């Protein structure tokens, strides 16, 4: 019954965000919608170079969201820019006249899943079709709430703590913002979270054929959603072979070595001697990237809106940072205290979460380094890129705060709801 209540609250929150955020204002929504429209109109998975329809291009020009060669538009880093131009209703023929390149080019699963929502309002204008397609993200958000609750209940057998963890995950402001739009990250976040739940079952109940089968399905679906699911594979393998520490460590280290030495790793950027920034080694990259990570990824993890132009109020970010430090100290105390005891399921999941987060960040940095060598400029590392690990991130905060006092974890969950309201008011004000 409590799960149904929290799902109802999450749904109401999600609908408010879904309705509030204008089209093409969630991350890269126009690129993902362009890919959906290609599948819907062309009925062909082979996306050609010219894939931006005249309909979408026209609306982008009107709204100011048309991007240049570096991915910037009139909104990017310009919080003062506003545009209230009406969205025209263009003829259906404009959907199959292609004028440029825009489609994201990601694997097709998320877009194929969204086709029924697009086709349900096929005769409607562009905005209605986008809002209809966004409904898929609302459903996936509910799935994330269920998985988070299941993980919490498996760990603690206390419904209140499980609900508190689900609240922290689903009311995280940037999760709400991304979840309001049409974006495959919403499916990737769910699939990665399901994978972590299966790994927790393996840790609790031992290795079983059904778990391996389910893991295989989740990884396959994840790779058909976004190639970053490949970062889950070494974590899963390390858990499977956890009784053989050296083998598990070698499996975890292999992707990093593949990045460093350009070994054959599926989907990895492969710069060559003719790449624009081929001479930029890892040390040079880190000198450029680490300061930006310190000042960008953390606030962007909690909420960055209007095409990277607006974050949460500075006072709010100061409070979040101090709470996170306080929770980190509590987590460190818990680990020092519990490492000498017989490891509980909660302790093992803490280790899994730290492992998953650490390896994911490492692989993202190495990926960005090789991609920057390839492109000649940086596409950046946004906080939302960590959202496949949103459950580990919120779980570690929750446990760290609960270490000081059990009720502080519940207070933190309630504070997350307040934070969500502040973020929503911020979004309303800027548009």
């Amino acid at each position: 019954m409590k799960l149904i209540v929290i799902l109802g609250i999450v749904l109401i929150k999600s609908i408010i965000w879904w309705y509030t955020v204008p089209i093409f204002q969630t991350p890269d929504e126009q690129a993902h919608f362009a890919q959906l429209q290609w599948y819907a109109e062309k009925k062909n998975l082979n996306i050609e170079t010219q894939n931006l329809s005249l309909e979408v291009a026209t609306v982008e020009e009107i709204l100011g969201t048309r991007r240049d060669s570096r991915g910037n538009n009139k909104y990017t880093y310009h919080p003062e820019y506003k545009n209230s131009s009406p969205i025209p209703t263009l003829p259906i023929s404009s959907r199959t006249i292609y004028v440029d390149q825009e489609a994201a080019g990601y694997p097709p699963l998320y877009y194929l899943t969204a086709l029924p929502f697009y086709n349900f309002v096929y005769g409607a204008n562009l905005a209605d079709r986008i809002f209809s397609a966004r409904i898929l993200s609302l459903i996936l958000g509910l799935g994330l709430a269920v998985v988070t609750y299941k993980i919490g209940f498996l760990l603690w057998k206390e419904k209140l703590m499980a609900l508190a963890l689900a609240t922290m995950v689903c009311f995280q402001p940037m999760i709400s913002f991304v979840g309001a739009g049409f974006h495959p990250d919403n499916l990737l976040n769910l699939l990665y979270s399901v994978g972590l739940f299966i790994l927790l079952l393996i840790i609790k109940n031992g290795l079983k054929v059904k778990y391996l089968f389910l893991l295989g399905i989740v990884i396959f679906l994840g790779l058909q959603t976004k190639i970053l699911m490949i970062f889950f594979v070494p974590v899963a393998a390390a858990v499977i072979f956890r009784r053989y520490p050296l083998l598990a460590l070698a499996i975890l280290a292999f992707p990093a070595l593949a990045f460093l030495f350009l070994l054959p790793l599926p989907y990895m950027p492969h710069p060559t001697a003719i790449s624009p920034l081929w001479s930029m080694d890892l040390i040079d990259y880190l000198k450029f990237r680490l300061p930006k990570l310190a000042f960008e990824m953390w606030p962007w993890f909690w909420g960055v809106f209007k095409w990277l132009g607006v974050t949460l109020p500075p006072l709010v970010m100061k409070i979040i940072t101090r709470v996170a430090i306080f929770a980190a100290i509590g987590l460190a105390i818990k680990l020092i205290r519990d490492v000498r005891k017989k490891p509980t399921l909660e302790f093992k999941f803490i280790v899994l979460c730290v492992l998953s987060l650490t390896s994911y960040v490492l692989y993202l940095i190495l990926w960005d380094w090789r991609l920057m060598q390839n492109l000649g400029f940086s596409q950046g590392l946004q906080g939302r890129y960590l959202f496949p690990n949103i459950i580990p991130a919120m779980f570690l905060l929750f446990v760290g705060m609960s270490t000081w006092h059990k009720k502080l974890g519940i207070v933190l969950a309630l504070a997350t709801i307040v934070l969500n309201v502040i973020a929503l008011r911020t979004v309303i004000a800027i548009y």
Side-chain angles (χ1 to χ4, degrees), residues 9-19 138 141-142 170 179-180:
I9 296 172
V10 169
L11 179 60
I12 293 171
K13 179 269 302 181
S14 300
I15 290 174
I16 294 173
W17 278 88
W18 167 83
Y19 179 79
L138 302 188
L142 294 178
C170 295

Side-chain angles (χ1 to χ4, degrees), residues 33 36 225 239 241 256 289 420 424:
F33 183 79
L36 169 64
T225 301
V239 171
F241 296 105
R289 175 59 65 200
N420 192 277
L424 182 61

